[in-house]
Amino acid sequence: TMRVGHAAGRHGHPGEEGADWNDAVRALALVFCLLLLPVVVHAKDAAGAKDHSLVGRYQGSEISFYATNDFDEAWLLKAAVDYAAISAKSVSEHGGSEWLKLQGRITQIRYDGPAGRSSLEILANLQAGLAAKGLTTLFDCSDEACFAGTMRDSYLLGWQLDGAQQNSRYATHARYTLASLDRPEGKVYVAMLVGEGVPGPTVFLRI
């Protein structure tokens, strides 16, 4: 085979052998770049983090926080929350009927969303993905509609669901969806909180 290639190079058009070599190099470079692409796209994800198969990620987002426990408990919001009553300590933090208490495998993921995307667009995209996989929406709300009582600032929902240190992420908007799916191995719940604030769009999942 090497002798045939050498003969073709000797009798072909001037520069033909060099052109073929350059094409081969470019083709190899393209394959190498394609192989690296998934790593580059998610290069800034937190160590050990991965998407959940039921939800995935909004394109261009990066995982800034990831935690999973084989068995733990979680409280998921299933109705408007009275934060004023919680603040006044007239009810316990998760003691009202608006909370769904669960035990089992718990996964929490926080994504930093891409700049220039609204919380409405991101949530609609994720909701469509859940519906396509057969999940049923149990509760959803936006901003003031997520609250009962007198305290209705959107950042309070972030404070309550994502932690006090993250409340600035929800300063402009906070949108929430709770969905579920019945599976042979048991029911799974997905709670999605999507915010607009500082430093930008945020998605917080508890599954």
Side-chain angles (χ1 to χ4, degrees):
T1 303
M2 290 179 66
R3 287 195 296 272
V4 172
H6 181 66
R10 194 169 54 226
H11 298 291
H13 295 294
E16 183 176 318
E17 185 176 6
D20 290 343
W21 172 254
N22 289 336
D23 289 343
V25 170
R26 281 194 292 269
L28 287 172
L30 178 59
V31 171
F32 183 71
C33 289
L34 289 174
L35 289 173
L36 285 181
L37 185 58
V39 177
V40 173
V41 169
H42 298 161
K44 293 184 180 180
D45 282 355
K50 62 180 180 179
D51 299 327
H52 194 282
S53 59
L54 278 179
V55 185
R57 76 172 68 195
Y58 185 83
Q59 185 176 7
S61 300
E62 298 169 346
I63 299 176
S64 57
F65 172 79
Y66 179 87
T68 184
N69 294 285
D70 288 335
F71 190 84
D72 204 345
E73 60 184 7
W75 290 265
L76 306 182
L77 192 64
K78 63 176 183 176
V81 59
D82 189 344
Y83 193 86
I86 295 173
S87 180
K89 301 187 184 302
S90 56
V91 297
S92 61
E93 187 174 12
H94 298 113
S97 60
E98 68 270 24
W99 296 102
L100 177 65
K101 183 179 179 180
L102 300 172
Q103 292 183 330
R105 182 175 179 84
I106 307 295
T107 298
Q108 298 179 94
I109 310 173
R110 184 184 305 111
Y111 292 91
D112 293 335
R117 300 297 184 182
S118 70
S119 57
L120 181 62
E121 177 186 358
I122 294 173
L123 182 61
N125 182 278
L126 295 175
Q127 286 175 328
L130 294 183
K133 293 176 180 176
L135 279 83
T136 300
T137 298
L138 305 177
F139 174 62
D140 71 296
C141 64
S142 295
D143 299 328
E144 292 186 0
C146 296
F147 297 94
T150 57
M151 298 179 68
R152 295 172 176 259
D153 294 315
S154 62
Y155 77 90
L156 293 173
L157 196 65
W159 186 306
Q160 188 70 20
L161 302 182
D162 193 8
Q165 294 180 340
Q166 309 300 328
N167 60 26
S168 63
R169 292 174 176 268
Y170 307 92
T172 304
H173 289 292
R175 307 180 192 276
Y176 176 81
T177 292
L178 176 65
S180 69
L181 176 67
D182 290 315
R183 304 185 298 179
E185 61 269 36
K187 178 174 285 191
V188 60
Y189 292 86
V190 176
M192 301 190 304
L193 178 64
V194 182
E196 284 180 59
V198 178
T202 295
V203 176
F204 181 67
L205 305 176
R206 185 174 278 122
I207 306 159

